[in-house]
Amino acid sequence: MTREIVLDTETTSTDPKVERIIEVGCVELINHMQTGRTFHRYCNPQRAVHPDAFAVHGLSDGFLSDKPLFAAIVPELLAFIGDGTLVIHNAPFDVGFLNAEYARLPEPRPPAIKLDDVVDTLLLARRKHTGAANNLDALCNRYGIDRSRRTKHGALLDAQILAEVYVELLGGKQTGFDLAPVIATPAQSAADAARPASARLFKSRLTDAERERHAAFIGTLKTPVWADYISKGTE
């Protein structure tokens, strides 16, 4: 079983040495599938939100003023992450902020997160789509993922969207292999039984034009390599 935690943060600005985390969102994946378990907390940063950051996420000083300090949410956050592998878009940014927050805690504090232990989806996207825009919005557009709710950045919403993007970067929803038996409903069983046996084996993805090209190619082969095997099998 592969357990991963897709994580995103929102912050007061961009320098982790002086700025603070104000929101953390996490989504649990098991074998690259969302389980429905999430973690979401806002934090009081004890400093003003920079106007540029506010324009991105819309989290105001007034809204954050009665939220718990980051130190208060750490036990819950660490318990949720557990032994899962972190999946983050542009990991150096979020990891830099998390490690800075951890360093401010009294001993015993959580160990610093190592970038080598994190799956950075931005790096995955750059390798797969070299030279293209690979921010989260661009990846949603590329993979047809609905981002209509994303009028502002939000840690949990962005983590949920990133979880979908991550699966696409790995090759789509069939990347995770689940060997558990699939129980068909009576209606599905009846529909399957009514189909020809050959059709129940697999669903062809070939178009009619591709089938015609394939047939034309087969016709050009004087002695197909499998002809001997077919003839022997019918003797």
Side-chain angles (χ1 to χ4, degrees), residues 11 15 20 23 31 55 72 102 123 132 153 175 205 216:
T11 63
D15 184 355
R20 306 296 297 270
E23 185 184 11
N31 295 337
Y102 289 169
L123 294 182
H153 286 231
T175 298
R205 297 183 180 181

Side-chain angles (χ1 to χ4, degrees), residues 72-88:
I73 73 162
V74 168
E76 290 180 276
L77 174 61
L78 294 178
F80 186 86
I81 294 173
D83 60 356
T85 299
L86 290 175
V87 178
I88 303 174

